[in-house]
Amino acid sequence: MGNMKYVWLALVMLYLMLATACVIDDGVAYQSSGKDRAIIRRGVIENMTMVMLKEVEVLHLPTKFITSVSAVLPNTRAEIGFRPTQLRADSAVLRWIEMGRQMEVQLEVPQVAQERSAGSLILVYRIFPGGRVSVQLEQNSEEDRQSSLDHN
């Protein structure tokens, strides 16, 4: 009878560990706001300056998801790699090297509830001269165009 008590306790502990693992994402507890957040299909960094940006890195917080590109040519855009996922970041830190100077900016990431986001979205970071940065959620018009071509 005493062994059954330990088996029962082990099962309860296993259940609690599995339940906790479902709430943890990349080692960080994620608290849902009650609404599902938008699904992001792509990420883009746009270089709005006249110089090449090197070692561009994006750190999403609180998830601590990091993605980077080695360089972004002037007035071009570069894809940042991530799988389509729910946008869980509340803020982001962008780091890059511009003309030999290390730059860093922290900014809030826009939030859109999943039911308000028709179609797929792109997370677009724009880096402007003087170290100014913006971030926006935009409709993924390239994917929408491809989808309409596939249906014709």
Side-chain angles (χ1 to χ4, degrees):
M1 194 64 139
N3 287 340
M4 279 305 281
K5 179 179 173 182
Y6 291 114
V7 169
W8 180 252
L9 183 60
L11 287 173
V12 169
M13 293 299 284
L14 179 63
Y15 173 77
L16 290 174
M17 287 180 359
L18 291 174
T20 303
C22 292
V23 176
I24 294 179
D25 181 43
D26 298 328
V28 176
Y30 169 67
Q31 296 179 349
S32 175
S33 63
K35 293 183 180 179
D36 289 334
R37 295 185 182 192
I39 302 294
I40 305 303
R41 302 281 180 217
R42 295 174 41 219
V44 173
I45 296 176
E46 287 188 3
N47 180 357
M48 307 300 285
T49 72
M50 299 302 287
V51 298
M52 180 171 35
L53 305 177
K54 298 179 184 176
E55 299 178 31
V56 182
E57 176 184 279
V58 179
L59 167 65
H60 286 156
L61 299 172
T63 62
K64 297 184 181 174
F65 175 78
I66 297 175
T67 187
S68 62
V69 294
S70 58
V72 185
L73 296 173
N75 297 303
T76 62
R77 60 185 352 198
E79 295 275 334
I80 52 177
F82 59 82
R83 295 184 315 259
T85 186
Q86 234 181 20
L87 180 60
R88 295 182 176 156
D90 296 321
S91 64
V93 177
L94 270 71
R95 296 183 183 106
W96 70 96
I97 297 174
E98 182 177 339
M99 297 178 60
R101 289 184 24 217
Q102 180 71 43
M103 308 291 280
E104 181 175 310
V105 173
Q106 183 168 352
L107 62 161
E108 289 186 28
V109 174
Q111 301 299 320
V112 175
Q114 189 172 6
E115 64 271 6
R116 290 188 51 217
S117 62
S120 61
L121 295 174
I122 320 173
L123 186 59
V124 181
Y125 291 96
R126 288 185 179 90
I127 302 175
F128 297 92
R132 292 181 302 116
V133 177
S134 71
V135 60
Q136 292 180 309
L137 288 170
E138 298 179 358
Q139 291 295 322
N140 188 358
S141 57
E142 291 175 23
E143 186 176 285
D144 295 341
R145 266 197 309 270
Q146 183 61 41
S147 178
S148 68
L149 290 175
D150 291 343
H151 290 348
N152 290 331

